[in-house]
Amino acid sequence: MKKYSKNNDMPTREAIIGLGESSVRKNYYPELQEKIYTLEKMSSRNNTLIMAIPDLLLVSDTNGYISPFATSSREEATLVLSVIREEYIHSKLKTEIEEVLNTQEPRSFDFELNLSGENKFFEARLHLTELNEVLIIIRDMSERISLENKLRYMAERDYQTGLRNRMKFELSIRQYEKRNDISIGLILFDIDGLKGINDTLGHYEGDKVIKVVSENIEKIFAQADFIARVGGNEFGIAYINPRPRIMDEKCYELQKALELYNKDKSYSFTVSFGISYSDGNPINLDELYQIADHNLYKNKMLKETSSKSALVRTLMNALEAKDYLTEGHAERMTENAIKLGEHLKLETHTIDQITLLTKFHDIGKVGIPDDILKKPGALDEKEWKIMKTHTTIGQRISSVSAELKPISDLILLHHEKWDGSGYPMGLSGEAIPIECRILALVDAFDAMTNDRPYRKALSFKEAISEIIKCKGSHFDPELVDIFLEILSNK
């Protein structure tokens, strides 16, 4: 009796052999047995191979009906159900199946799936079979992607702070290069005196300082687009379409936070910073870096903790030795100049230039003879002509100093007057740099309210009266109004 499978479609092995035995061609029986054995062996190998493959195998017919390629384990069955039930993945599979059937070319795509509360990453590859079915191979890529992410993190991040490194920082900004439809604001920070901390207290303490600065930067500049450690003691921050005033405020907020941290320490440290903006021009990262670094350098010059302030102190000592009138003069002017700059909402690097200018505007007086500089009476015409050369002498001195070169032209022009009657260029109005206009006002006020060799100090009211009298001639009228308001609030 013939034996068939339950679905009566395919005969069983016994039925095939039976047919062979009942056939008149009994010579084919050994060959038939060998063929069946070979097929069973191939089937066993294929099943073993399928079980050994870590991938999930699915198959789809021409109608897009997806089913397991072979018997699935419980884990695979769970994954199959998850894939089928996830609407986006199922829809994507159907779309790719149609593409494979239409183009007869392999396709692939990646997808993410949450399994038991854990995000897993998969790659699906689709191939057309000779039976016009689409074989779907789904591979778990989670370990590989996790490793790639770790390697990418190591390549793009600073191991000590977790911030971007310089390479990643610059690549992130360079994608916007040459564009003029957006602007970029760049801030560079430098930890002052870190080398001294490393040398005296050890690198462990120095590393703690770096960590403290990086944590405060991350917290205060949380809204920045890119934050990175770009050097041993340097950090970079970039904003897309920045608001300059906000950037300035955040820089000062960082300085205040570090001052608070220093209160409980046996040592203190600060940071210097420089800011640059693309200002709607085509973005050039190298130029932004150069300007920000230049402004950082000027900011660092003003700090006592900076090793680069040695030249500043040396020149100031020489100036005070030459002209005793400057003692305390620069400090008082600096205070008033900063208040004016902040009231005008000037950028930080401009205020830094004004601060440096208040200290060194009269550096050229080191070239003026003492008998003229310290003469108790009024100068005659010849002496006055010599005195006026201190602006050009100051420019020459500062132009050969890397630290003071940025303000050399301002030193030259710091005696220009609003109405054009000043020297040496005879500039007028807004042609005079704002730094010089501010200096002229605070310098005159301080000179009037302090004793000079040739006269006694004026009273506060008398000095105010003189300032008002010279409004629009000697001084910028708008600055006079702001300055008087500042003085009235003291």
Side-chain angles (χ1 to χ4, degrees):
M1 183 178 181
K2 296 178 182 179
K3 294 182 181 180
Y4 293 93
S5 60
K6 293 181 180 179
N7 58 13
N8 292 324
D9 292 330
M10 296 293 294
T12 63
R13 181 173 184 276
E14 292 82 358
I16 292 173
I17 295 173
L19 285 171
E21 288 175 341
S22 61
S23 171
V24 292
R25 298 181 176 182
K26 291 186 179 181
N27 290 336
Y28 285 97
Y29 177 68
E31 184 179 346
L32 184 58
Q33 272 193 319
E34 185 179 349
K35 291 291 185 184
I36 291 173
Y37 174 75
T38 302
L39 288 172
E40 287 179 336
K41 190 175 180 180
M42 289 177 62
S43 176
S44 177
R45 285 176 176 174
N46 289 338
N47 286 334
T48 303
L49 179 62
I50 291 171
M51 294 300 294
I53 292 175
D55 305 331
L56 175 65
L57 302 178
L58 304 175
V59 67
S60 171
D61 60 19
T62 54
N63 295 319
Y65 176 76
I66 301 172
S67 60
F69 183 82
T71 304
S72 303
S73 64
R74 180 177 296 180
E75 184 179 348
E76 288 180 338
T78 302
L79 178 56
V80 171
L81 288 173
S82 298
V83 168
I84 300 300
R85 287 172 178 172
E86 188 68 39
E87 185 177 346
Y88 164 75
I89 300 173
H90 191 216
S91 174
K92 180 68 175 174
L93 276 172
K94 295 195 116 187
T95 301
E96 296 298 327
I97 288 167
E98 289 180 11
E99 285 294 321
V100 171
L101 291 170
N102 291 334
T103 64
Q104 297 189 352
E105 293 290 334
R107 303 278 294 182
S108 66
F109 69 94
D110 300 323
F111 64 90
E112 188 176 345
L113 194 61
N114 188 284
L115 296 175
S116 302
E118 183 181 359
N119 284 342
K120 294 278 191 176
F121 301 90
F122 296 91
E123 177 192 54
R125 288 176 291 158
L126 295 82
H127 297 266
L128 188 66
T129 70
E130 293 181 357
L131 300 176
N132 208 31
E133 294 177 321
V134 177
L135 178 64
I136 305 167
I137 306 170
I138 296 178
R139 175 167 293 182
D140 187 347
M141 305 291 287
S142 301
E143 287 189 14
R144 176 178 169 181
I145 289 177
S146 176
L147 179 59
E148 287 177 353
N149 289 339
K150 287 179 182 177
L151 292 173
R152 186 178 296 109
Y153 184 90
M154 293 170 64
E156 297 176 350
R157 296 278 173 168
D158 172 59
Y159 76 95
Q160 191 173 5
T161 63
L163 299 176
R164 285 180 172 88
N165 58 23
R166 181 166 189 149
M167 179 195 73
K168 180 60 177 176
F169 184 67
E170 292 186 357
L171 286 174
S172 299
I173 299 176
R174 286 195 190 280
Q175 63 182 310
Y176 300 102
E177 277 204 312
K178 310 302 181 187
R179 289 179 58 176
N180 56 11
D181 58 325
I182 62 169
S183 60
I184 285 183
L186 176 66
I187 308 173
L188 294 181
F189 282 104
D190 185 282
I191 303 174
D192 302 315
L194 182 63
K195 185 178 185 303
I197 294 173
N198 284 332
D199 291 345
T200 56
L201 302 176
H203 285 271
Y204 176 76
E205 201 67 30
D207 289 345
K208 283 172 63 177
V209 169
I210 292 171
K211 191 68 175 172
V212 167
V213 172
S214 69
E215 288 173 352
N216 277 278
I217 286 176
E218 277 195 288
K219 179 181 176 182
I220 293 169
F221 292 89
Q223 301 304 314
D225 293 281
F226 308 109
I227 302 175
R229 183 183 179 192
V230 296
N233 59 341
E234 295 179 357
F235 297 84
I237 297 168
Y239 283 86
I240 308 299
N241 295 324
R243 293 163 59 189
R245 190 62 185 169
I246 297 296
M247 292 174 67
D248 277 350
E249 289 174 356
K250 293 295 183 183
C251 289
Y252 288 116
E253 186 179 340
L254 175 63
Q255 290 182 322
K256 293 292 184 184
L258 296 180
E259 285 177 13
L260 187 63
Y261 176 84
N262 287 333
K263 284 184 178 180
D264 300 327
K265 295 289 177 288
S266 58
Y267 62 90
S268 63
F269 63 91
T270 59
V271 293
S272 297
F273 63 90
I275 304 177
S276 62
Y277 308 97
S278 62
D279 290 330
N281 298 317
I283 294 166
N284 184 317
L285 179 59
D286 295 330
E287 186 176 312
L288 283 174
Y289 252 111
Q290 186 177 10
I291 295 171
D293 197 55
H294 177 72
N295 292 331
L296 182 151
Y297 196 84
K298 288 188 295 184
N299 185 252
K300 185 177 280 290
M301 282 286 297
L302 304 174
K303 296 183 179 297
E304 292 299 321
T305 54
S306 170
S307 59
K308 293 183 180 175
S309 64
L311 175 62
V312 175
R313 291 194 297 272
T314 301
L315 289 173
M316 287 186 73
N317 291 338
L319 186 58
E320 289 184 4
K322 183 74 175 175
D323 181 8
Y324 64 88
L325 299 174
T326 62
E327 187 173 357
H329 178 53
E331 287 73 17
R332 293 189 297 270
M333 283 197 304
T334 298
E335 181 183 354
N336 286 327
I338 289 175
K339 287 179 179 177
L340 265 171
E342 290 176 345
H343 195 284
L344 292 169
K345 294 182 168 46
L346 298 180
E347 294 178 359
T348 302
H349 70 87
T350 304
I351 294 177
D352 285 345
Q353 288 208 144
I354 295 171
T355 304
L356 207 56
L357 187 62
T358 59
K359 297 177 184 295
F360 290 100
H361 63 286
D362 278 339
I363 189 66
K365 286 183 178 179
V366 299
I368 303 299
D370 285 352
D371 59 336
I372 295 177
L373 192 64
K374 299 180 180 180
K375 184 177 179 179
L379 302 178
D380 61 31
E381 185 178 349
K382 183 179 179 181
E383 290 169 334
W384 180 238
K385 188 176 181 180
I386 293 173
M387 175 62 85
K388 288 197 292 185
T389 62
H390 82 275
T391 58
T392 53
I393 294 171
Q395 185 199 34
R396 288 200 299 269
I397 292 173
S398 57
S399 64
V400 297
S401 163
E403 291 84 353
L404 297 180
K405 189 174 182 179
I407 62 167
S408 60
D409 289 339
L410 300 178
I411 290 174
L412 175 69
L413 302 175
H414 79 273
H415 274 294
E416 300 290 348
K417 296 181 181 179
W418 183 259
D419 63 0
S421 63
Y423 64 89
M425 306 291 290
L427 300 180
S428 63
E430 294 188 357
I432 305 169
I434 185 65
E435 297 94 333
C436 296
R437 283 181 271 152
I438 290 175
L439 178 74
L441 185 54
V442 299
D443 187 14
F445 178 76
D446 191 77
M448 285 189 285
T449 53
N450 289 275
D451 291 337
R452 289 283 172 135
Y454 50 87
R455 62 157 174 79
K456 290 291 183 181
L458 301 180
S459 68
F460 181 82
K461 286 185 178 180
E462 288 172 329
I464 292 296
S465 178
E466 286 296 317
I467 292 289
I468 294 173
K469 189 185 298 183
C470 295
K471 176 181 176 180
S473 57
H474 191 155
F475 308 121
D476 180 339
E478 182 183 351
L479 289 182
V480 169
D481 292 338
I482 296 171
F483 187 54
L484 294 178
E485 180 184 342
I486 291 171
L487 292 177
S488 66
N489 293 328
K490 274 191 173 182

